[in-house]
Amino acid sequence: MEIDPFIFRLSIFILSIFVGYYVVWSVTPSLHTPLMSVTNAISSVIIVGAIIAALSGSDGVVFSSSSIYGFLAIILAAVNIFGGFLVTQRMLAMYKKKKKDK
Amino acid sequence: MSANLSAILYLVSGVLFILALRGLSSPETSRQGNLFGIIGMVIAVTVTFLSVGNFSSGFVYVLIFLAIGGSIGAFIAYRIPMTAMPELVAGFHSLVGLAAVFVAISAFINPSAFNLGTPGNIKLASLIEMAIGAAVGAITFSGSVIAFLKLQGIMSGAPITFKGQHLLNALLLILIVILTIYLCSKQSSNLFWIIIAISFLIGFLIIIPIGGADMPVVISMLNSYSGWAAAGIGFTLENTALIITGALVGSSGAILSYIMCKGMNRSFFNVILGGFGATDQTSGSQSKEQKPVKSGNADDAAFLMKNASSVIIVPGYGMAVAQAQHALREMVDTLKKNDIKVSYAIHPVAGRMPGHMNVLLAEANVPYDEVFELEEINNDFANADVAFVIGANDVTNPVAKTDPQSPIYGMPVLDVEKCKSVLFVKRSLSPGYAGIDNDLFYKENTLMLFADAKKMTEDITKNL
């Protein structure tokens, strides 16, 4: 009997939860706000689904009832991706160590 | 592009996302981590384009919409003031949630594009995953919108409660489960729309009873939800990058919620069920009203600090509201010129989101090695001369250690009262969020400075 591919995906999912658990505990508390903004940015990888949905229209028809939702999702996810990564970058650039010479 | 190659590349981008979070273990590696995240995203998007392989006119539109969203995002990211980070994050969560809903709808209408079967005959597992992704996404969306409105002050931060609230929420959740089961057998699109509509309603209902200062928990929780929604869609699309990311974000948000709850010594359910601070404060606050309070002005405060050898600063949400972080930094610079040792003490739930105070201090150019967490610095209060409490309240209340009747009893607090003297910047004597009086106000060694945090800090600097 073959193993359903779903089981493999479930394994990846469960193991990733554990990876996430240990990685996030090692995040220093002072960076918890950047952590939230960066997780927000990476969860927008949902844009992958949005792109597939947007390009699902049959030949010649760009905007079908299903692809419109894809296009809307692309805008939302793109706001998040650019906004999330850039605002994280902006925050992280502010964290500085004490200057030695002062 | 072959399916195997694209699957491997999705895995690569998932690993890069793990490294992005890993980088945040210290500020030095964090910028590199962010770069990994960006590379991971570029890989995921490129692979998707190549594997769909459809470069017709639709592709051009995808790029256009991507550019529209991207410029809006970039514009917001550059313009947003750091004090508004909680609102921004809540707003962004709502977008992830809504995007998940849209993708799920699209997959439901046109399943063949995703290899999930044909309309009306969608694979059972996919249908369940779709329904879960859509429901969690919808809850994330409407919940985040309410959180955003509360943080922005458009909606009152006070908890909104009514009778039978929890029962209603529970019934709606059960209803969703039942409808999902029906959906599996009937495959009817009406059921799918109803599930989404009810989920929007649930998101709305679970956030309205939660008060303003519990927002750190709410934002972390919604962060977690947005992850689970992404993972749900990841299962539908059979996409490893989405599954890995969803799991990472989901557990990250869950851990942050846990840390925030611990910082308040409350259980997760206690926060979620809400209504905290709205009712039942019976623990004898009336008897305390007549107690004498010492109040002073900027001159007195400057005198005390000038004669101190070490000062600990305790910032709170009030500092963010008054935008006092830059003025505070100038005051500290002046103190340092007088050879006074200054450090900052941050309570885990200070502010409106995890790490809120740290970002504001970083914005004001405070070096991060002068900023300490509760456990690191709490023993130092006994040796410090002055504690300067600016915009914090409940997190310094000694009642949490002494009065088992108090609603905040057992919450870890900063031992501010052990300092030789305490300067407490506050606009009035009104109790904090928890609705209880702060004993610190009436201590012998406490000097209340009744003023706007920013103005008071500037005045002290002038007097130093």
Side-chain angles (χ1 to χ4, degrees):
Chain A
M1 201 181 131
E2 262 186 80
I3 300 173
D4 190 322
F6 171 79
I7 304 300
F8 292 117
R9 284 188 280 277
L10 187 67
S11 322
I12 295 174
F13 179 63
I14 304 284
L15 291 176
S16 302
I17 292 178
F18 279 89
V19 171
Y21 179 85
Y22 288 107
V23 169
V24 171
W25 270 119
S26 73
V27 171
T28 165
S30 66
L31 292 177
H32 276 163
T33 300
L35 171 68
M36 301 201 80
S37 60
V38 85
T39 49
N40 185 67
I42 64 172
S43 61
S44 305
V45 73
I46 199 155
I47 197 167
V48 165
I51 293 172
I52 300 175
L55 294 175
S56 64
S58 50
D59 291 328
V61 187
V62 176
F63 296 104
S64 66
S65 60
S66 74
S67 73
I68 284 175
Y69 286 106
F71 282 114
L72 291 176
I74 287 179
I75 295 189
L76 299 178
V79 171
N80 257 321
I81 292 173
F82 284 78
F85 280 125
L86 288 174
V87 87
T88 310
Q89 197 77 23
R90 209 181 123 200
M91 272 192 275
L92 293 177
M94 297 185 314
Y95 282 81
K96 292 183 197 86
K97 252 196 158 148
K98 212 181 311 192
K99 285 196 196 102
K100 287 276 150 56
D101 51 347
K102 268 193 176 174
Chain B
M1 188 181 267
S2 86
N4 285 335
L5 182 59
S6 48
I8 286 175
L9 288 171
Y10 281 132
L11 181 63
V12 169
S13 85
V15 171
L16 285 166
F17 291 150
I18 295 174
L19 292 176
L21 299 193
R22 176 71 197 146
L24 291 171
S25 56
S26 102
E28 281 110 83
T29 55
S30 61
R31 283 171 280 258
Q32 192 195 26
N34 201 37
L35 189 63
F36 282 142
I38 295 172
I39 297 171
M41 189 61 75
V42 171
I43 293 178
V45 171
T46 316
V47 170
T48 312
F49 281 138
L50 294 177
S51 55
V52 174
N54 175 0
F55 295 102
S56 59
S57 51
F59 179 69
V60 179
Y61 282 102
V62 169
L63 291 184
I64 292 173
F65 282 91
L66 198 63
I68 295 174
S71 9
I72 298 172
F75 179 77
I76 297 172
Y78 280 111
R79 293 297 300 277
I80 191 94
M82 282 301 141
T83 39
M85 278 317 288
E87 292 95 305
L88 178 77
V89 169
F92 276 175
H93 287 157
S94 74
L95 300 184
V96 180
L98 196 58
V101 174
F102 284 161
V103 174
I105 292 176
S106 182
F108 185 81
I109 299 178
N110 189 1
S112 45
F114 297 85
N115 274 331
L116 305 173
T118 51
N121 192 16
I122 302 171
K123 278 189 275 178
L124 184 65
S126 309
L127 201 56
I128 298 172
E129 291 152 7
M130 229 181 263
I132 293 175
V136 179
I139 293 175
T140 312
F141 172 72
S142 55
S144 302
V145 168
I146 301 299
F148 175 83
L149 294 177
K150 285 196 170 195
L151 287 164
Q152 190 81 334
I154 297 170
M155 203 173 141
S156 153
I160 299 167
T161 49
F162 54 88
K163 229 179 174 172
Q165 194 165 26
H166 306 319
L167 188 68
L168 177 67
N169 291 346
L171 287 177
L172 286 174
L173 276 176
I174 295 168
L175 188 60
I176 285 200
V177 176
I178 296 172
L179 286 173
T180 309
I181 296 167
Y182 262 104
L183 179 71
C184 291
S185 60
K186 296 246 162 51
Q187 304 248 357
S188 135
S189 56
N190 284 343
L191 283 173
F192 192 67
W193 295 115
I194 295 172
I195 289 176
I196 293 176
I198 295 177
S199 306
F200 279 130
L201 185 64
I202 293 182
F204 172 77
L205 287 172
I206 55 174
I207 305 300
I208 52 165
I210 304 178
D214 283 340
M215 280 302 150
V217 182
V218 170
I219 296 189
S220 323
M221 185 183 83
L222 292 168
N223 185 242
S224 181
Y225 285 2
S226 70
W228 304 132
I233 301 294
F235 276 104
T236 319
L237 306 181
E238 314 189 335
N239 182 305
T240 357
L242 256 175
I243 295 176
I244 295 177
T245 315
L248 288 178
V249 177
S251 53
S252 159
I255 290 172
L256 289 176
S257 321
Y258 170 77
I259 295 174
M260 294 301 113
C261 288
K262 222 179 74 182
M264 295 190 285
N265 188 41
R266 290 168 58 198
S267 76
F268 186 67
F269 284 103
N270 183 289
V271 175
I272 295 311
L273 295 179
F276 188 70
T279 45
D280 51 83
Q281 304 124 27
T282 43
S283 60
S285 50
Q286 279 81 7
S287 60
K288 287 174 182 166
E289 269 165 21
Q290 300 303 320
K291 281 201 207 163
V293 171
K294 276 198 292 185
S295 81
N297 56 27
D299 203 20
D300 306 327
F303 177 78
L304 266 170
M305 285 212 235
K306 229 186 279 178
N307 290 307
S309 63
S310 69
V311 174
I312 298 178
I313 297 183
V314 182
Y317 183 58
M319 180 186 83
V321 174
Q323 307 252 18
Q325 66 272 32
H326 298 283
L328 182 67
R329 157 79 208 229
E330 277 163 34
M331 186 189 88
V332 170
D333 281 347
T334 319
L335 289 175
K336 278 191 198 157
K337 269 183 213 138
N338 293 318
D339 279 330
I340 299 164
K341 187 176 167 282
V342 185
S343 36
Y344 299 81
I346 313 266
H347 190 277
V349 293
R352 284 291 183 269
M353 76 185 291
H356 192 186
M357 292 298 121
N358 304 78
V359 170
L360 293 183
L361 292 176
E363 188 201 9
N365 276 321
V366 173
Y368 62 82
D369 38 9
E370 285 175 14
V371 183
F372 299 93
E373 302 302 317
L374 178 115
E375 305 88 48
E376 296 171 317
I377 201 166
N378 226 3
N379 293 329
D380 297 354
F381 280 107
N383 306 319
D385 297 308
V386 175
F388 185 70
V389 183
I390 173 166
N393 185 359
D394 291 333
V395 298
T396 63
N397 197 341
V399 158
K401 289 176 284 189
T402 52
D403 179 9
Q405 301 299 316
S406 165
I408 61 166
Y409 181 70
M411 168 171 137
V413 286
L414 291 158
D415 294 334
V416 174
E417 78 281 0
K418 289 186 184 155
C419 267
K420 287 197 192 77
S421 43
V422 178
L423 296 170
F424 211 113
V425 185
K426 207 171 178 309
R427 267 172 302 193
S428 71
L429 263 189
S430 62
Y433 166 69
I436 44 168
D437 226 9
N438 193 339
D439 271 1
L440 203 55
F441 298 163
Y442 314 105
K443 291 262 187 220
E444 272 286 294
N445 55 355
T446 303
L447 190 67
M448 298 297 295
L449 306 168
F450 294 114
D452 173 72
K454 188 176 175 190
K455 197 177 170 302
M456 176 53 75
T457 316
E458 283 165 352
D459 288 349
I460 294 174
T461 314
K462 275 181 214 142
N463 282 302
L464 275 170

